[in-house]
Amino acid sequence: MAALTRLLKPSSSSSTSFLLKRSLSTTTSVVSEIQSQNHLNPNFSDSKPSRNFQWVFLGCPGVGKGTFASRLSILLGVPHIATGDLVREELSNSGPLSRQLSEIVNQGKLVSDEIIFDLLSTRLEAGESKGESGFILDGFPRTIRQAEILDEVTEIDLVVNLKLREDVLVEKCLGRRICSQCGKGFNVASINAKAENGKPGMSMAPLLPPPHCTSKLITRADDTEQVVKERLRVYHEKSQPVEDFYKNQGKLMEFDLPGGISESWPKLLEALNLDDYEVKQSAVA
C-alpha cells in the first residue's frame, strides 16, 4: 500500500494543480476536459502533458474490458493494467498466496482488497522503474472500499462503464479460450442473440486464433456456467455501487456495446471524442 501511495501521489505543484478534484456534471464535459488537459485537440500537438491519462474501465466479467482497454492503451501510449491478469500471473506461481487465490477464483468470489492492492502496488512500482506514466485500470476498483482507497492516492480522470446484455455475457465467457503457449486470449463463441423484452438483437463473430495457436487452446478453470453466473451475481451485488460512486463525481461514462469489436470500437472512440485522434496518430506513426 505504501508503494502504491508513493507511486501515485503528485510530486510537483504543477501536477497538484492538474490533479485538483473536479465537479463535472456530464460525460461530455469529462471527456472534453481530459482531452484539453492532455493536448488532444484538432491540431494535434506533440507537446506532453504533466502526466498521462489515468482511466478506469468498469463492466461485468466477460464484457470486453481487456480488449478495449488494451486497444486504448496502445492508442494513448499508457500501460493497460488488468487486475485479473495480475491475479492469474500470481496463480501461475507456487506458494501460499497462489493456493489461496486459486480457491477464491475457482469459487467465483472476489479477491480481497488487501491482496489486490498488494499486486497492483507491485505492478505500478515495476512500471515506474521503466518510466511508465499514467494507466488504464481494467477490473479495478470492484468495490466501494477499493474506489475510496484509490481516490485517496490518485486522481482518476474518467471511468468507462461497458455494458452488455447478460445472456450474451454468459455465452461470451463460456467461449473464452487462452493459448497455452503465447498466453493470448480468443473466443470461439459465435453469438446471434435475438431481440427480446426490449433488448436489441446482437451478433458477435468469434475471435478465432491463428493456426499455430489452434491446437494449444485451453479453457480457464473458472469459465464454467456455474462460476460465470456466480461472478455476475457477485458483480451486481458488490461492484455495481462503484458506478454510483463515480457518477456522483461526474466521471462515469456509460457505454452500451452494440456488437462485436468491429462495431463497438469505432463507436467507443466516437463517444470518447478520440476517433479523429486515432486518424492523426496513424498519420504521424
Side-chain angles (χ1 to χ4, degrees), residues 20-26 29-30 33 155 247-251:
L20 287 176
K21 301 283 185 183
R22 292 161 296 180
S23 178
L24 303 174
S25 60
T26 66
S29 62
V30 175
E33 180 170 343
E155 173 77 1
K247 185 179 294 183
N248 291 336
Q249 293 184 355
K251 297 178 179 179

Side-chain angles (χ1 to χ4, degrees), residues 134-149:
F135 51 76
I136 296 180
L137 292 181
D138 162 10
F140 183 90
R142 289 187 175 182
T143 66
I144 288 292
R145 182 56 186 148
Q146 289 178 357
E148 289 172 342
I149 295 173

Side-chain angles (χ1 to χ4, degrees), residues 35-54:
Q35 290 179 317
S36 175
Q37 300 258 17
N38 289 280
H39 304 286
L40 294 184
N41 55 58
N43 296 321
F44 184 64
S45 170
D46 287 332
S47 56
K48 298 294 183 182
S50 57
R51 68 152 169 79
N52 226 321
F53 298 88
Q54 295 186 173

Side-chain angles (χ1 to χ4, degrees), residues 63-100:
V63 75
K65 297 184 297 293
T67 298
F68 295 106
S70 178
R71 286 188 168 214
L72 279 169
S73 79
I74 295 172
L75 177 65
L76 302 175
V78 296
H80 165 217
I81 302 175
T83 53
D85 289 344
L86 298 181
V87 169
R88 283 186 285 275
E89 286 173 14
E90 187 63 36
L91 283 170
S92 66
N93 299 325
S94 59
L97 180 57
S98 177
R99 290 192 292 272
Q100 181 183 355

